Amino acid sequence: ALKLFWQMEGERVKPDQVTFASVLRACAGLASLEQGKQVHAYIIKSTFQADVFVGSSLIDMYGKCGSTGYARHVFDNMHERSVVSWNVMIAGYVRCGQSEEAIKLFCKMQGGSLKPDQVTFVTVLKACVGLASLEEGKQIHSHIIKSGFESYIFVGNGLIDMYFKCGCTELACLVFNKMPEKDLVSWNA
């Protein structure tokens, strides 16, 4: 994908948002921060720097390459953010062991106009596991209930995982028993 991208550039074929997202995903998959920075420089020169889809892809790439500083710089400089932008930034922090930063960003998200989705909640639950913070996990659980995501299998599995890993088997079993539907992950948790 990277080779084709640079070949496109050499032949003066203009990339679009999907092209940039694909190339950035390839950089992340290879953990190639330097290639990712080169693509980022190309994006800055293009008309896609302000595109929320491209910005979210950049944040994701930097996070997956272990560079949360660059990811946060892109995030902070976005004119417009989507739930995906918030999710990939929070996930980047979690992936890099910066769970406290992930939870701080989640709290900041809640103060804005965009509301967390099920991916946001499951990612923040992983941050609670990273901090071994049962109390923080319980607070997130409360937000999940208020947001109406408690019955989602994906979220229920995240809650079970968090409670077990934070040492609270009683609440993990309670969540499991209250789940209206269960999948293989639920049963294996």
Side-chain angles (χ1 to χ4, degrees):
L2 289 168
K3 195 174 185 179
L4 287 173
F5 174 74
W6 294 118
Q7 186 178 345
M8 276 178 63
E9 194 270 335
E11 294 181 16
R12 301 194 191 284
V13 176
K14 298 288 182 200
D16 63 9
Q17 298 100 317
V18 176
T19 307
F20 285 126
S22 298
V23 171
L24 290 167
R25 193 175 315 112
C27 293
L30 296 169
S32 179
L33 181 59
E34 289 310 310
Q35 286 278 338
K37 286 180 179 179
Q38 289 175 16
V39 174
H40 188 181
Y42 188 93
I43 290 168
I44 291 170
K45 295 175 192 172
S46 76
T47 59
F48 292 102
Q49 184 177 1
D51 184 87
V52 70
F53 183 67
V54 173
S56 298
S57 297
L58 277 166
I59 295 165
D60 189 48
M61 180 275 298
Y62 280 125
K64 287 178 177 171
C65 287
S67 185
T68 55
Y70 283 115
R72 186 59 187 255
H73 178 76
V74 172
F75 179 83
D76 287 342
N77 288 293
M78 290 178 79
H79 300 290
E80 178 187 348
R81 295 183 194 112
S82 66
V83 173
V84 173
S85 309
W86 288 89
N87 287 349
V88 294
M89 188 66 240
I90 292 168
Y93 279 137
V94 172
R95 188 177 296 105
C96 293
Q98 297 173 314
S99 296
E100 195 169 306
E101 288 301 315
I103 290 173
K104 284 181 189 175
L105 191 60
F106 170 74
C107 292
K108 185 176 179 180
M109 179 188 194
Q110 290 192 297
S113 60
L114 289 175
K115 297 300 172 207
D117 64 8
Q118 62 179 331
V119 174
T120 314
F121 284 120
V122 171
T123 305
V124 174
L125 288 170
K126 290 177 186 176
C128 296
V129 170
L131 294 172
S133 177
L134 178 60
E135 288 310 309
E136 196 76 50
K138 286 178 178 179
Q139 289 178 19
I140 301 301
H141 190 172
S142 173
H143 290 296
I144 289 168
I145 292 168
K146 290 175 189 170
S147 299
F149 288 112
E150 190 176 30
S151 63
Y152 287 66
I153 293 174
F154 183 59
V155 176
N157 291 341
L159 284 165
I160 293 167
D161 183 63
M162 181 274 298
Y163 280 127
F164 270 129
K165 288 180 178 171
C166 288
C168 190
T169 56
E170 184 179 318
L171 287 176
C173 290
L174 182 67
V175 169
F176 177 82
N177 290 330
K178 287 179 79 176
M179 287 176 70
E181 289 184 55
K182 298 166 182 72
D183 64 6
L184 187 61
V185 175
S186 313
W187 287 100
N188 287 332

